Amino acid sequence: MDHPQADDAALPSEGVVQPAVVPPPPKFVTGSIMRHVIVMTSTGSIGLTAVFAVDLINLWYISHLGDTVATAAVGYGSTILFVTTSICIGIMISAGALCSRALGARDRPLARRYGASILMWMLLVTGAVAVLTFPLIGWMLRLLGAHGRTLDLSTLYLEITMPTVVPLGVGIGLSGVLRAVGDAKRAMYVTLSGAAVAAILDPIFILWLGLGVEGAAIVIVFSRMALALLGWYGAVRVHDLVGRLSLKRALEDAGPIAAIAGPAVLANLATPVANGYMTAILAPFGDGAVAGNAVMGRLIAFCFGGIFSLSGVVGPIFGQNYGAGRLDRVHRTLSDAFLFTTIYAVVVWAALALCHHLVIRAFNITDPQAAQLIEFFCLFVAGSWAFHGLLFVANASFNNLGFPLASTVFNWGKATLGTIPFAMLGAKLWGAEGALTGQGLGAVLFGVIGVWWAYRSIGQLKLPGTSRAS
């Protein structure tokens, strides 16, 4: 039996004149765009970095066991977990886009309905991912190049952590709802909770209890449960932006949700697929190369967290201003976000280049090949992340302004045409360092084209409710 629609506004009693209530303007429709970009990206990057920091903290403690095989095993496992995280982030993008548009149009009941429907779809999709991928864990790891003891340890790691994609999705999805309303700080706290749990429990389970890779996996379970609980508190109890969960309404809302989440998920999957390819292409160079790549992967996620967060946190700024009909502010958001991500990436690159020896010592890297690969990345390849960032901003505009297919095309183009031939040729000519160089050059190419296409797309926008220019 269907419950009454809790999201519907109450009808005024007959004959009673209700005073007009004018809701306050949405947060991002007024004030400095650059300030909104900085605040949302900085808090969002801290929050999303906290999600990846769980892997970083795990890897840091694992590396101090002095076992290159264990480090490589976590690297293989994290490559696959990154796929599930990317699916969750893709669905979260739809939460930020749809809820922010509704709030921008001052339709809070619609925002609450979208919040509930997106959460329901997050549960359905992540549950299906956990069930379908669990029996394929061994096959996926062997496909990446894992074998022997490395395969055994990475299989154990994933068998424990794969089911946690469900609470991870709930936490990330609800943080997207919080960003849609402009509560960047509370959204940051949601994901910080997972990192805090990992920081407390990792030394206990990995070192003191001596559980190693198994302990790292157990900690992920606890950290993702914390993520879900705090996200539910903020989005439901504090802001009341999630209506009654209903499978019927979720199915009715599948169209607008899938229109954004589908292409966003496909676009986000391109990055872990490219990472998986890079893991496979480095595997023949030995466990040292894979271990070095694992450290680089965690460094990228941690140090360039602001870039990863852009597609989710800048989206509500686009969405609210587009929903309010402020196309001038939409254009300014794109330019300010491009400027911010470029400065951010260059500063991080400089820091990594200056501190590369410290990074190698911090992760207790004793394998010469791993150390050489990390040094090469910090000095040279990290600079290509400025162009990754430009493409992430472009994708945020595509996803939130009605061009989601462009996001999918560009991300998969970078993951395939911008990665495979470049990395393959580089590996053949200059080994593992050449593979990293090739991947970086592909990112430069697609970043530049993405910037041009984003400005071209925004030039085609019309006010909501009117037809778009052809």
Side-chain angles (χ1 to χ4, degrees):
M1 177 179 177
D2 252 3
H3 294 283
Q5 291 197 7
D7 296 338
D8 293 340
L11 294 174
S13 301
E14 191 173 341
V16 177
V17 178
Q18 298 290 329
V21 177
V22 179
K27 183 172 183 177
F28 302 130
V29 192
T30 59
S32 166
I33 289 288
M34 180 58 87
R35 182 179 182 278
H36 290 319
V37 169
I38 293 173
V39 170
M40 289 296 289
T41 305
S42 57
T43 54
S45 65
I46 294 172
L48 190 57
T49 296
V51 174
F52 296 121
V54 175
D55 282 340
L56 180 74
I57 296 167
N58 275 336
L59 191 66
W60 188 81
Y61 281 108
I62 288 292
S63 68
H64 281 73
L65 297 175
D67 186 351
T68 301
V69 171
T71 304
V74 173
Y76 280 116
S78 297
T79 298
I80 294 175
L81 286 182
F82 190 23
V83 175
T84 63
T85 302
S86 297
I87 292 172
C88 297
I89 293 173
I91 299 175
M92 178 202 72
I93 288 172
S94 69
L98 292 174
C99 292
S100 65
R101 284 184 198 172
L103 292 170
R106 305 194 182 190
D107 191 345
R108 189 177 183 85
L110 180 61
R112 294 184 74 249
R113 173 166 175 155
Y114 277 140
S117 294
I118 291 167
L119 180 57
M120 178 62 73
W121 277 111
M122 183 73 83
L123 290 168
L124 293 172
V125 172
T126 54
V129 167
V131 171
L132 294 176
T133 58
F134 195 88
L136 301 176
I137 287 174
W139 173 78
M140 291 186 292
L141 289 169
R142 285 189 290 271
L143 188 65
L144 291 176
H147 57 86
R149 180 168 168 256
T150 307
L151 175 61
D152 294 337
L153 288 176
S154 52
T155 299
L156 174 65
Y157 182 77
L158 284 178
E159 285 177 344
I160 296 172
T161 56
M162 187 59 71
T164 64
V165 64
V166 177
L168 173 69
V170 170
I172 288 180
L174 292 174
S175 72
V177 173
L178 289 170
R179 290 191 184 97
V181 76
D183 193 349
K185 187 177 295 184
R186 189 167 273 108
M188 175 185 69
Y189 291 155
V190 170
T191 45
L192 275 177
S193 65
V197 169
I200 294 169
L201 297 184
D202 264 334
I204 297 173
F205 281 84
I206 296 175
L207 300 180
W208 296 346
L209 296 180
L211 294 178
V213 171
E214 183 180 5
I218 292 172
V219 170
I220 285 181
V221 176
F222 287 114
S223 68
R224 291 183 171 181
M225 291 300 296
L227 197 77
L229 290 172
L230 203 58
W232 179 263
Y233 175 79
V236 178
R237 304 297 296 175
V238 176
H239 287 285
D240 190 26
L241 268 176
V242 179
R244 188 187 304 275
L245 295 183
S246 167
L247 180 59
K248 179 183 177 183
R249 290 187 196 170
L251 292 174
E252 291 172 352
D253 294 335
I257 293 173
I260 297 174
V265 168
L266 288 175
N268 273 14
L269 283 176
T271 298
V273 167
N275 290 346
Y277 173 77
M278 290 302 296
T279 300
I281 205 171
L282 291 173
F285 295 101
D287 279 341
V290 176
N293 189 51
V295 172
M296 286 184 290
R298 305 295 80 71
L299 280 177
I300 289 170
F302 186 77
C303 296
F304 293 102
I307 290 176
F308 280 102
S309 73
L310 278 171
S311 59
V313 302
V314 179
I317 305 177
F318 282 120
Q320 284 192 13
N321 283 287
Y322 182 51
R326 294 296 307 273
L327 298 186
D328 58 323
R329 290 176 65 84
V330 170
H331 192 282
R332 183 60 181 267
T333 299
L334 184 67
S335 297
D336 285 357
F338 279 146
L339 177 61
F340 179 82
T341 191
T342 301
I343 295 173
Y344 178 97
V346 170
V347 170
V348 172
W349 178 25
L352 285 173
L354 290 172
C355 303
H356 67 276
H357 289 302
L358 180 61
V359 170
I360 293 171
R361 287 197 299 270
F363 281 91
N364 196 33
I365 300 298
T366 57
D367 185 279
Q369 188 179 35
Q372 182 177 339
L373 208 59
I374 294 170
E375 180 179 13
F376 184 79
F377 168 79
C378 291
L379 291 176
F380 303 106
V381 184
S384 68
W385 274 88
F387 297 90
H388 285 281
L390 294 177
L391 187 55
F392 283 162
V393 172
N395 285 339
S397 69
F398 298 147
N399 285 328
N400 288 272
L401 300 175
F403 308 95
L405 183 59
S407 173
T408 305
V409 169
F410 272 100
N411 262 17
W412 279 98
K414 185 186 72 171
T416 53
L417 297 177
T419 299
I420 295 174
F422 288 92
M424 187 180 295
L425 180 62
K428 184 177 181 179
L429 295 177
W430 302 294
E433 289 85 353
L436 295 182
T437 301
Q439 185 185 32
L441 291 176
V444 171
L445 173 64
F446 276 83
V448 171
I449 298 174
V451 169
W452 170 71
W453 198 265
Y455 279 117
R456 178 183 180 277
S457 298
I458 282 188
Q460 296 179 330
L461 283 178
K462 295 294 181 182
L463 292 176
T466 63
S467 60
R468 186 180 297 146
S470 57

